[in-house]
Amino acid sequence: MMHQTQERPPWQLLVKRVTVASLLISIILLYALSTFHINISPPELPVPHSCAPQPDKHSTQPTTKSSQQDNDICVPKVDIMFMKTHKTASSTFLNILFRFGEKHKLKFAFPSSRNDFFYPSSFQRTYVQGYKSGMCFNIMCNHMRFNAPEVAKVLPRDTFYITILRDPAELFESSFHYFGHVVPLTWTIPGEDTMAEFLRDPNHYFSKSGLNSFYLKNLLFFDFGQDNTLDPDDPRVEESIKAISERFHLVMLMEHFEESLILLKDALCWEMDDLLFFKLNSRKESIVSKLTPELRAKALQWNAIDWELYKHFNHTFWEKVEAYGRKHMAEDVAELRRRNMELVEICIEGGHAVDAGSIHDAAMQPWQPIGERSIEGYNLKKNVDKAHQELCRKMLTPEIQYLTDLGVNLWVTKLWGHVRKIINL
């Protein structure tokens, strides 16, 4: 006789659904309350031109290009705005910024109660934890919906603006699966391959007014504070891309992450030590959908504005690489990869990422999407030598835990994390 799986009684399923629904409603209300601000408008004080601390004597080095030079001595640039886009290896870059900020004792402009600046609301300076007019911050780097005038009221006038883009078709695949659980319009899509069904006729399923629907159409353009539902031929698209180009000094590409870091090093007069990284917040390869040429074409057509954005900055990126020198770039990338691999051997147990369930230390457990445990993490190698213990731990620490270590109040995010754990059981 074949073994049959015992189904739960209907009342147990009902209780679970009511419990989960109640928790979701509660957390949504808490999120709403956490975004409520009483806007008091005291006299505006000017933002300092720069609040860079005095550099260490050992932090000077020759460079081909830099933002601050004096008799060929390069001073590391420390006033930085990183526009953190979604699903673009931005969490990996955030770890680099956190370590750089700690090294130079910089002041971060962090959000209050959450790990983002009340995304998807348009950024307001009052979202910064402890903000007061005229204060000086060095680095801003958490998720936000970009609002250039408000950002400029927080950071010094000589701030270096950076962001990162990803191929829009691959970004759409990642966003569709990662955020699908919080986008109700995807819940009723029939079939096993819901993304393929969605791309078959996106307009049939998509609604501009749908809750969190921005995750599924031109997400990059939306993150930059623009209207992601514009017609691609609308002149405002070209105007917005031009404005982004004028505001951001360096637009990195996820597909060429190491080359991007070398360009950053050159522009900001950083050291190779500042660029070392491990890949963080990545999904298991086994669950990543492979886009067929047909699906890729449909994804690019659906995300046509993001595609225009990406093509523009892909062109300017390679212009910067040419100016840097292809041979010079290849040598520097090879050195960065070599040094990263050395640290993999020193820091990571087994030399590779593991499933969430195989991570021993809760402090190394990455944030998981609702209903899944698809994000991989690492186990810190036992008996790491004293010279590398601190560096290894910091490089492997996920974003939420690192923010806590830096003193950020994350009570809303942590409460939401507990709800996710219950849902994921």
Side-chain angles (χ1 to χ4, degrees):
M1 180 182 294
M2 293 183 65
H3 176 74
Q4 293 183 345
T5 302
Q6 185 176 1
E7 296 184 0
R8 294 183 182 181
W11 67 268
Q12 286 188 0
L13 293 174
L14 180 61
V15 168
K16 182 177 181 180
R17 287 171 181 170
V18 170
T19 302
V20 170
S22 299
L23 286 169
L24 286 173
I25 292 170
S26 299
I27 200 67
I28 289 169
L29 288 173
L30 284 168
Y31 256 65
L33 288 172
S34 72
T35 62
F36 179 74
H37 292 267
I38 299 174
N39 289 320
I40 302 173
S41 299
E44 278 291 324
L45 299 176
V47 179
H49 177 69
S50 175
C51 56
Q54 291 297 316
D56 296 332
K57 291 182 180 179
H58 70 273
S59 297
T60 55
Q61 58 182 3
T63 186
T64 54
K65 293 180 183 178
S66 73
S67 52
Q68 303 177 36
Q69 291 189 40
D70 182 18
N71 297 327
D72 296 326
I73 297 299
C74 180
V75 179
K77 176 71 175 170
V78 297
D79 297 327
I80 298 161
M81 193 282 157
F82 174 55
M83 228 301 287
K84 189 177 189 291
T85 49
H86 285 87
K87 312 311 296 175
T88 57
S90 56
S91 293
T92 300
F93 187 67
L94 222 60
N95 186 276
I96 292 172
L97 280 179
F98 290 163
R99 287 183 281 120
F100 181 83
E102 285 193 295
K103 172 183 174 181
H104 291 277
K105 300 179 175 59
L106 305 180
K107 186 170 184 178
F108 287 89
F110 281 133
S112 178
S113 76
R114 295 165 43 159
N115 61 307
D116 60 57
F117 288 107
F118 303 101
Y119 186 89
S121 299
S122 180
F123 175 79
Q124 303 295 317
R125 63 191 183 279
T126 54
Y127 294 168
V128 175
Q129 181 173 292
Y131 170 81
K132 292 181 182 178
S133 179
M135 290 182 70
C136 200
F137 296 93
N138 298 111
I139 298 178
M140 180 182 288
C141 55
N142 292 75
H143 272 311
M144 67 166 66
R145 189 161 187 224
F146 191 63
N147 181 350
E150 285 292 299
V151 169
K153 292 175 182 176
V154 177
L155 297 171
R157 285 173 285 170
D158 67 343
T159 294
F160 194 89
Y161 282 69
I162 311 163
T163 191
I164 184 167
L165 305 181
R166 181 182 184 182
D167 178 285
E170 301 295 334
L171 173 63
F172 174 80
E173 185 279 328
S174 181
S175 180
F176 187 94
H177 290 102
Y178 188 92
F179 297 112
H181 295 289
V182 296
V183 186
L185 62 84
T186 68
W187 297 351
T188 57
I189 299 175
E192 292 186 6
D193 192 344
T194 53
M195 185 187 72
E197 172 59 25
F198 178 89
L199 288 174
R200 184 185 62 79
D201 186 9
N203 288 308
H204 177 72
Y205 297 105
F206 184 81
S207 171
K208 179 180 179 179
S209 60
L211 179 65
N212 293 332
S213 63
F214 55 85
Y215 283 122
L216 302 184
K217 187 175 178 66
N218 297 312
L219 178 56
L220 291 171
F221 205 61
F222 183 87
D223 282 352
F224 282 108
Q226 308 302 319
D227 183 353
N228 62 318
T229 61
L230 289 175
D231 187 285
D233 296 325
D234 191 305
R236 287 174 289 179
V237 171
E238 185 176 349
E239 292 168 5
S240 296
I241 293 175
K242 181 181 178 183
I244 294 167
S245 183
E246 291 173 349
R247 176 66 282 178
F248 286 85
H249 301 91
L250 176 64
V251 177
M252 304 189 295
L253 301 180
M254 175 180 165
E255 291 78 12
H256 302 283
F257 192 68
E258 289 133 330
E259 290 89 344
S260 297
L261 292 179
I262 299 302
L263 290 178
L264 180 76
K265 170 181 174 292
D266 185 54
L268 300 188
C269 195
W270 285 15
E271 301 172 0
M272 190 66 80
D273 283 346
D274 300 321
L275 308 181
L276 303 176
F277 71 92
F278 298 137
K279 189 183 295 185
L280 301 176
N281 202 39
S282 295
R283 286 187 300 159
K284 293 187 292 186
E285 284 291 330
S286 60
I287 68 166
V288 177
S289 300
K290 303 301 181 184
L291 291 172
T292 64
E294 181 184 8
L295 283 179
R296 173 176 169 78
K298 288 180 177 180
L300 291 179
Q301 182 180 11
W302 176 243
N303 296 278
I305 298 178
D306 274 3
W307 184 223
E308 290 302 315
L309 185 75
Y310 186 87
K311 286 190 295 183
H312 174 88
F313 287 107
N314 182 65
H315 178 72
T316 60
F317 179 86
W318 291 109
E319 285 182 339
K320 286 181 169 63
V321 172
E322 288 292 341
Y324 187 81
R326 293 269 185 168
K327 184 173 183 293
H328 189 193
M329 176 62 74
E331 291 170 349
D332 284 354
V333 167
E335 180 186 352
L336 178 59
R337 289 175 178 171
R338 176 184 60 79
R339 295 187 62 180
N340 278 336
M341 287 305 300
E342 288 175 354
L343 282 175
V344 167
E345 293 298 319
I346 293 170
C347 301
I348 300 175
E349 184 179 289
H352 56 79
V354 296
D355 291 347
S358 300
I359 299 172
H360 308 317
D361 187 348
M364 296 296 177
Q365 190 69 239
W367 184 266
Q368 299 292 341
I370 294 177
E372 296 181 7
R373 289 172 64 81
S374 57
I375 304 300
E376 294 183 319
Y378 299 93
N379 286 311
L380 179 65
K381 207 169 190 177
K382 296 180 178 64
N383 302 318
V384 176
D385 64 87
K386 289 185 178 180
H388 292 93
Q389 281 178 0
E390 184 178 7
L391 176 62
C392 289
R393 177 163 287 278
K394 287 183 182 296
M395 289 182 68
L396 293 173
T397 299
E399 178 182 335
I400 301 300
Q401 290 91 319
Y402 210 139
L403 284 168
T404 300
D405 292 343
L406 292 172
V408 184
N409 178 9
L410 297 175
W411 73 268
V412 173
T413 296
K414 289 180 178 179
L415 182 59
W416 180 227
H418 291 312
V419 173
R420 284 171 177 249
K421 287 180 180 179
I422 293 171
I423 295 172
N424 288 355
L425 289 177

